[in-house]
Amino acid sequence: MAQIPATSSIESVSTEKRVFAPPKAFSKTAQVKSLAEYRKLYKESITAPEKFWAKQAKQELVWSRPWKKVLEWKEPVAKWFVGGQLNVSENCLDRHLGTARANKAALIWEGEPAAEDRPGERRVLTYKQLHHEVCRFGNVLKQAGATKGDRVLIYLPMVPEAAIAMLACARIGAVHSVVFGGFSAQSVADRIFDSQAKLVITADGGFRRGAVVPLKQNVDAALELKNAQGELLTKSIEKVVVLRRAGNEINFQAGRDLWWHEEIAKASANCPAVPMDSEAPLFILYTSGSTGKPKGILHTTGGYLLYAKLTARYVFDLREEDVYWCTADIGWVTGHSYVVYGPLANGATSLMYEGAPNFPEADRFWSIVERYGVTTLYTAPTAIRAFMKWGVEWPKKHDLSSLRLLGSVGEPINPEAWIWYYETIGGKRCPIVDTWWQTETGGIMISPLPGAIPTKPGSASLPFFGIVPEVVDDAGRPVPRNSGGKLVVRKPWPGMLRGLWGDPKRYQQVYWTEVAGSYFTGDGCRQDKDGYFWIVGRIDDVLNVAGHRIGTAEVESALVSHQKVAEAAVVGRPDDLKGQALVAFVTLKSGVKVDPGLQDELRQHVAKEIGPVAKPDDIRFAEALPKTRSGKIMRRLLKQIASGAEIKGDTTTLEDLNVLAKLAAPDE
Ligand code: 7RM
């Protein structure tokens, strides 16, 4: 485990002193109106958690059968609302139909232009329409052989059908596993193998900056992939449902492949929501860890939905008339909890955008904000830093006065970016919610409640109701204020992961052994004198590149799977735009020469193995990697080298890192 810095690079004393009081006009109508009110509610939520959560679950969700027990906690396994039954799609759709929300926009969708000179497509689905589509697609899934408990892999672009597919799975009790469209065929195959999915839902292609991402072609390739013993990884797959999106030519395998539009045309719109056990799996979402293959994070039904709904309402101060836009892709947890489940459970209008922030031009986000009157924008620091770089002329072209709240997620936001977001986008009028959470936590854990909690640029501030985070030392003892430590969570909460798919041992080992009796987040943190949490970033071997979680071990094994590579070590270095960049140190097999094309060849290889998001930014070739006497790669040294001097243009020479290693730490 790496050393934890006592103070984070993301704050300095002068910025910490800057405290932004909640704007008075905002507090007047906010869900929680003052710091005192927050403190009172928070205290209630942690002194009698079961009472608190029972009250919320009763108020917020429609149950087909009441629960017998609020919480059953046998570390590390939590069961919430034991014995209760409900359906997530019913809670997101049906329950709004008898109300004034029936004809309200549930999803507003803006597509990516197919080319620079063509407008993106636009669609609006009301709650009634979305319900209709979800029911029909639920029947398509059943027709294709999926039933309660079966796993369904979703590999789609950011189109309404992605949300429809997720909700249809939930409706019939199937377990979805969404794979980000930027992941490779190999990643798709690995996830199919791990989850033993029966169906794949994909599209011919998706648009990205005027190009077509060949999703179906990747699925075809995935379905051919074999393990080392020569066995197909994807034997469990029975059918592939294909959405017509990009219109590109695809290979269609009769008998296995089904067209979405053909099947749905035949499907009835009568699809009863199946009452599910509160602890029935809702979805599996794969995320990088510090070792080996991605972990299948498991979320279940009742607790997850309650937590997603409640956090969405309080953190974004959701109001009936809001146009709420979370820019995350549905392939990440943020897309699950805050594009689909949280907003829809609240009856909100959720805007979905398919494409890039700078296509056709760098004002794409701001033109969308203006056109739809977006009130709430939730995006990532890496995007904000890119906007800063592109210049104020782009947002200045548009009327952003509809905005009333701004959110940030995915990585620490540096105070400069925070202030720019606040002033240039929010017009100094909109509170900023810097939300800390993880795939594992299901929903937001530490964040200001707008209107109630004063904000400090760079701090996620204070915990949500029912959450007991703490900063501890290696022995698990709380550290004094203003010293660095590990961030843990002391008590179970409804949105927490229920395990790693098929691997209870690894679940226990990764999250519950580092600090006895607590959930270990993998993040370093510091609490200031006011109790505000300042997240430093990962302290394990997981990197955060442009808000994407990438395990160094995964990239290393992708590199080593290339025929020319002997050994690889991947570390992060600070990057102005992406937060962190990936630097790979590679040794080559004997006889292999470094040629000018090799760097690119290896980068492409990683893209093929994992996906373009994992491509190393720099690859440096070395004679040997610096190692300790026990044979461990000296990552600390490599990190220093990686973030030190600029990489010279000439990468065709080999570095002798062993010499450096001896200089740096002769006795390590
Ligand atoms: C939602 C999400 C989780 C990791 C987490 C942190 C980092 C996320 C913040 C943050 C500082 C934030 N899920 N992280 N949000 N760090 N401030 N507001 O991102 O599973 O993909 O990543 O992201 O390191 O452990 S995730």
Side-chain angles (χ1 to χ4, degrees):
M1 195 92 347
Q3 291 262 308
I4 302 154
T7 50
S8 113
S9 59
I10 58 160
E11 56 84 20
S12 62
V13 175
S14 61
T15 52
E16 190 176 330
K17 280 196 187 138
R18 267 190 100 163
V19 179
F20 290 75
K24 286 219 171 58
F26 198 100
S27 305
K28 237 192 230 160
T29 58
Q31 306 268 330
V32 180
K33 297 181 172 56
S34 67
L35 187 58
E37 191 187 343
Y38 158 76
R39 294 227 190 264
K40 184 176 156 275
L41 287 167
Y42 177 73
K43 199 167 171 208
E44 276 171 30
S45 75
I46 61 163
T47 34
E50 296 189 24
K51 191 173 151 213
F52 175 85
W53 289 116
K55 185 175 153 209
Q56 299 300 334
K58 211 170 197 164
Q59 251 172 40
E60 301 293 333
L61 301 180
V62 177
W63 296 82
S64 351
R65 192 205 278 167
W67 62 87
K68 293 203 179 73
K69 212 169 160 201
V70 179
L71 171 65
E72 211 178 279
W73 174 232
K74 282 196 205 94
E75 190 196 309
V77 179
K79 289 185 180 158
W80 284 90
F81 312 113
V82 185
Q85 287 191 340
L86 74 166
N87 183 283
V88 166
S89 108
E90 185 185 348
N91 272 280
C92 290
L93 302 170
D94 306 53
R95 70 172 306 181
H96 306 306
L97 297 187
T99 74
R101 288 182 186 137
N103 295 309
K104 171 180 176 173
L107 293 178
I108 294 178
W109 176 73
E110 172 91 15
E112 172 96 336
E116 210 146 331
D117 55 353
R118 280 169 55 184
E121 281 172 68
R122 291 165 194 170
R123 280 163 70 190
V124 175
L125 283 113
T126 64
Y127 273 93
K128 236 180 187 159
Q129 291 168 326
L130 184 59
H131 174 262
H132 183 78
E133 294 303 314
V134 167
C135 286
R136 291 205 300 162
F137 197 65
N139 283 326
V140 170
L141 291 175
K142 285 194 260 180
Q143 200 62 41
T147 81
K148 201 168 160 170
D150 285 343
R151 273 79 60 209
V152 174
L153 189 122
I154 299 176
Y155 186 58
L156 285 170
M158 274 294 277
V159 290
E161 283 77 7
I164 292 168
M166 290 164 73
L167 289 159
C169 286
R171 193 162 191 90
I172 67 164
V175 184
H176 61 69
S177 183
V178 183
V179 177
F180 174 54
F183 279 134
S184 65
Q186 182 69 51
S187 298
V188 171
D190 291 342
R191 284 154 177 75
I192 289 172
F193 178 74
D194 191 78
S195 64
Q196 291 293 297
K198 216 171 178 181
L199 304 182
V200 178
I201 303 166
T202 189
D204 49 1
F207 293 118
R208 189 77 183 171
R209 294 196 175 93
V212 172
V213 183
L215 297 169
K216 173 61 163 62
Q217 194 185 309
N218 291 348
V219 169
D220 289 339
L223 295 185
E224 302 280 306
L225 287 171
K226 297 184 173 138
N227 66 11
Q229 286 73 47
E231 292 161 316
L232 273 184
L233 285 167
T234 53
K235 277 190 287 206
S236 58
I237 293 299
E238 293 172 8
K239 294 273 190 274
V240 179
V241 183
V242 189
L243 177 76
R244 233 295 166 254
R245 164 70 189 124
N248 52 318
E249 213 170 291
I250 61 155
N251 157 43
F252 193 86
Q253 191 174 309
R256 185 195 71 187
D257 298 349
L258 304 165
W259 280 113
W260 179 301
H261 59 272
E262 285 178 5
E263 298 308 309
I264 210 161
K266 295 182 269 182
S268 136
N270 177 15
C271 180
V274 178
M276 298 298 291
D277 201 273
S278 177
E279 281 300 336
L282 175 65
F283 67 84
I284 304 166
L285 187 59
Y286 287 85
T287 191
S288 296
S290 45
T291 53
K293 293 265 181 221
K295 308 174 284 197
I297 307 293
L298 174 65
H299 283 288
T300 59
T301 302
Y304 169 80
L305 188 65
L306 177 62
Y307 198 71
K309 180 175 184 190
L310 211 67
T311 49
R313 202 174 66 243
Y314 278 99
V315 174
F316 302 114
D317 185 47
L318 279 181
R319 292 195 215 160
E320 206 63 79
E321 62 277 19
D322 276 334
V323 178
Y324 160 92
W325 181 18
C326 165
T327 69
D329 192 281
I330 237 148
W332 312 109
V333 74
T334 308
H336 284 57
S337 301
Y338 300 112
V339 176
V340 181
Y341 293 122
L344 297 182
N346 281 294
T349 294
S350 180
L351 194 147
M352 220 176 147
Y353 170 53
E354 181 177 15
N358 58 349
F359 187 84
E361 290 205 278
D363 63 344
R364 189 74 172 126
F365 272 29
W366 318 124
S367 85
I368 292 175
V369 168
E370 179 172 17
R371 187 145 23 85
Y372 295 103
V374 171
T375 58
T376 312
L377 178 68
Y378 188 33
T379 194
T382 188
I384 298 165
R385 290 190 296 265
F387 296 138
M388 287 170 76
K389 196 180 112 189
W390 297 336
V392 292
E393 58 270 30
W394 296 106
K396 287 276 177 276
K397 278 187 172 177
H398 297 275
D399 177 3
L400 305 181
S401 61
S402 58
L403 287 170
R404 65 179 198 92
L405 178 64
L406 301 173
S408 171
V409 61
E411 51 182 317
I413 179 165
N414 45 311
E416 298 69 33
W418 196 104
I419 300 284
W420 187 90
Y421 198 29
Y422 182 74
E423 291 179 347
T424 310
I425 304 305
K428 300 188 185 169
R429 171 185 81 245
C430 310
I432 293 185
V433 291
D434 173 2
T435 63
W436 175 87
W437 60 295
Q438 311 178 292
T439 307
E440 291 86 342
T441 68
I444 294 164
M445 301 285 278
I446 303 180
S447 167
L449 294 187
I453 299 182
T455 50
K456 303 185 190 189
S459 169
S461 80
L462 300 172
F464 190 71
F465 304 136
I467 304 304
V468 190
E470 205 157 22
V471 182
V472 301
D473 64 14
D474 286 331
R477 286 177 307 239
V479 298
R481 290 284 160 95
N482 272 320
S483 4
K486 297 171 178 172
L487 181 65
V488 299
V489 185
R490 294 293 200 194
K491 296 248 171 68
W493 66 101
M496 69 187 274
L497 78 165
R498 298 301 195 266
L500 298 180
W501 187 253
D503 203 345
K505 265 210 200 108
R506 192 174 174 202
Y507 168 61
Q508 156 87 41
Q509 196 266 323
V510 172
Y511 302 102
W512 298 93
T513 48
E514 182 80 20
V515 176
S518 298
Y519 167 81
F520 175 56
T521 63
D523 280 337
C525 190
R526 178 178 65 84
Q527 245 185 315
D528 70 16
K529 62 175 188 346
D530 301 321
Y532 276 46
F533 289 85
W534 296 76
I535 311 291
V536 181
R538 305 290 309 195
I539 49 176
D540 52 11
D541 290 320
V542 175
L543 302 180
N544 195 322
V545 179
H548 300 318
R549 242 171 97 158
I550 295 173
T552 52
E554 257 176 274
V555 184
E556 285 163 6
S557 70
L559 283 166
V560 173
S561 74
H562 189 279
Q563 62 196 16
K564 293 181 184 166
V565 174
E567 229 181 356
V570 172
V571 296
R573 70 160 157 76
D575 181 273
D576 283 347
L577 271 188
K578 300 200 272 188
Q580 281 187 302
L582 287 171
V583 181
F585 292 88
V586 166
T587 66
L588 297 169
K589 287 196 180 139
S590 67
V592 179
K593 287 224 177 66
V594 184
D595 62 67
L598 188 55
Q599 249 198 344
D600 207 46
E601 189 179 327
L602 296 183
R603 296 179 76 234
Q604 291 315 324
H605 180 73
V606 174
K608 193 180 123 256
E609 288 294 307
I610 304 174
V613 289
K615 272 198 279 193
D617 297 86
D618 303 325
I619 295 184
R620 301 174 65 162
F621 298 105
E623 291 282 5
L625 297 178
K627 291 193 183 148
T628 62
R629 265 191 242 170
S630 60
K632 288 209 183 80
I633 293 174
M634 295 165 70
R635 288 171 181 284
R636 198 142 39 103
L637 177 70
L638 291 179
K639 266 184 224 166
Q640 285 163 10
I641 298 170
S643 47
E646 284 275 303
I647 287 119
K648 292 185 208 83
D650 179 17
T651 50
T652 55
T653 49
L654 294 169
E655 293 176 88
D656 188 355
L657 297 174
N658 256 328
V659 176
L660 282 172
K662 278 173 204 140
L663 288 172
D667 295 314
E668 200 168 340

